[in-house]
Amino acid sequence: MIGLEDFVADNYSKIGNEVLSPGASLGNGLTPEAARELGLPVGTAVAASLIDAHAGGLGVIGADVTGHGLICEGQPVTSRLAVICGTSSCHMAISKDPIFVPGVWGPYFSAMVPGFWLNEGGQSVTGKLIDHVVQGHAAFPELQAKATARCQSVYAYLNSHLDLIKKAQPVGFLTVDLHVWPDFHGNRSPLADLTLKGMVTGLTLSQDLDDLAILYLATVQAIAFGTRFIIEAMEAAGHSISTLFLCGGLSKNPLFVQMHADITGMPVVLSQEVESVLVGAALLGACASGDFASVQEAMTRMSKVGKVMFPRHEDKKYYDKKYQVFRKLVEHQKEYSAIMNGD
């Protein structure tokens, strides 16, 4: 349909027609030349690889959760959603049968876990958005100076500052009048609309550190609401998800993790090994070398639970209201566009 029929010629010879599962052993391992350049023995096993986010998903999703009080302990691995969150975020859901989710990529067979279909949701900017909002605020130089004086990252400082100003209420309630739609770089999932823009409602004349901290919190919450939106689309299409498994740079931020638990209403599992993408790659190597009989066995043996964060169910009503506002924001934005683009 798009003029690439030469790829199909000669049984796909131009792009290759032998499909191997992740972790399959390739050839006879390292060639003498490659072994010499890498400083490794000739014949060292080489695995069919994965892209970074898929390796991250593989590194977390199969962990043995026994004894952590998690609902997914008695459920199939398909009840788990791996969220790889850094500059942008990817949401990896697997299923036994193909599920087509509007606005979510896939289903792809054996693309992450061999034998399972993969759906991949995503948010175009997450960590990058938090940086953008924080660094663009008038109080950022003051924040930087205070964080440096305390030998803290700006985000650790902001998290402790929020604890300071929240008084008796839960920290999330500080944004009762401030709402963010996070698509500053368009929407990847579940709306698949690159024309969408970011929105903030509830601004005042304040430019102090309190104002920056609350805007930072509202942005983190907006990203978590985006994850909830993606999960709802996946579940409406046939997925059944009960537990989030987070990895990547943003999973090191306890506020980001707790907001994902509170806003989705699901427990969040963090890996013992923070660099889950590397665990996924090592796992594939361990399969190729014959240390494990299957990727599933390697996942259970090599992925370890580090920490579990449970949602504060007593805050559910508040976040349900904020989610209603979140969904209204994009409806309103589309109405504004229709007005401006109309006759």
Side-chain angles (χ1 to χ4, degrees):
M1 286 169 69
I2 58 171
L4 294 176
E5 56 275 355
D6 53 327
F7 279 170
V8 179
D10 300 326
N11 193 23
Y12 298 92
S13 61
K14 281 192 176 179
I15 54 171
N17 51 24
E18 189 182 349
V19 179
L20 293 174
S21 279
S25 185
L26 300 175
N28 298 313
L30 285 181
T31 62
E33 184 187 2
R36 189 170 61 251
E37 289 178 2
L38 290 167
L40 293 168
V42 174
T44 298
V46 176
S49 61
L50 288 173
I51 63 168
D52 52 0
H54 291 180
L58 199 66
V60 293
I61 207 168
D64 180 0
V65 297
T66 310
H68 290 278
L70 287 161
I71 188 172
C72 67
E73 186 179 330
Q75 295 175 333
V77 71
T78 51
S79 67
R80 306 176 180 193
L81 181 74
V83 186
I84 298 85
C85 36
T87 309
S88 58
S89 293
C90 298
H91 302 69
M92 307 292 180
I94 57 174
S95 56
K96 266 291 183 197
D97 298 305
I99 296 174
F100 290 82
V101 187
V104 170
W105 300 344
Y108 307 126
F109 185 65
S110 288
M112 186 172 84
V113 182
F116 288 85
W117 294 82
L118 173 70
N119 282 112
E120 183 177 342
Q123 292 164 292
S124 301
V125 283
T126 49
K128 179 74 178 164
L129 176 63
I130 297 169
D131 288 345
H132 174 79
V133 167
V134 169
Q135 291 169 12
H137 194 280
F140 181 64
E142 181 194 347
L143 168 65
Q144 249 184 329
K146 287 186 169 174
T148 305
R150 271 205 208 162
C151 301
Q152 281 185 314
S153 75
V154 291
Y155 298 114
Y157 188 94
L158 282 170
N159 291 352
S160 59
H161 191 76
L162 285 166
D163 280 335
L164 206 65
I165 61 176
K166 73 179 173 69
K167 302 194 170 63
Q169 63 183 344
V171 72
F173 287 38
L174 286 166
T175 58
V176 66
D177 296 320
L178 188 67
H179 309 281
V180 174
W181 177 264
D183 290 335
F184 284 50
H185 195 56
N187 183 285
R188 190 187 304 173
S189 302
L191 302 176
D193 184 348
L194 56 81
T195 68
L196 289 176
K197 306 288 189 288
M199 300 169 78
V200 184
T201 174
L203 296 172
T204 69
L205 286 173
S206 171
Q207 288 189 313
D208 61 10
L209 201 51
D210 289 5
D211 181 68
L212 168 50
I214 294 168
L215 183 60
Y216 154 71
L217 171 62
T219 306
V220 169
Q221 289 174 335
I223 292 165
F225 283 121
T227 292
R228 176 168 166 173
F229 197 11
I230 290 167
I231 291 169
E232 284 189 0
M234 288 176 162
E235 295 206 306
H239 282 281
S240 180
I241 294 159
S242 68
T243 313
L244 305 184
F245 285 69
L246 257 62
C247 66
L250 285 176
S251 68
K252 299 172 190 175
N253 182 336
L255 179 77
F256 184 89
V257 177
Q258 189 63 54
M259 284 300 125
H260 272 72
D262 293 349
I263 284 167
T264 62
M266 295 180 187
V268 176
V269 179
L270 300 174
S271 280
Q272 203 173 67
E273 172 51 66
V274 179
E275 304 298 345
S276 299
V277 173
L278 301 183
V279 174
L283 204 144
L284 296 174
C287 290
S289 61
D291 286 79
F292 297 109
S294 68
V295 168
Q296 278 87 339
E297 185 196 350
M299 279 164 39
T300 311
R301 298 277 297 279
M302 290 178 72
S303 307
K304 296 277 182 283
V305 175
K307 191 175 182 185
V308 178
M309 281 184 152
F310 289 94
R312 289 171 48 93
H313 290 300
E314 60 271 31
D315 300 346
K316 181 182 185 305
K317 191 176 174 186
Y318 171 77
Y319 289 116
D320 284 350
K321 286 179 181 176
K322 272 195 73 85
Y323 184 60
Q324 272 183 280
V325 175
F326 178 81
R327 294 289 297 269
K328 280 262 189 273
L329 285 171
V330 72
E331 282 175 32
H332 292 168
Q333 183 177 155
K334 288 177 176 178
E335 285 172 24
Y336 307 155
S337 294
I339 293 166
M340 296 307 296
N341 297 322
D343 295 333

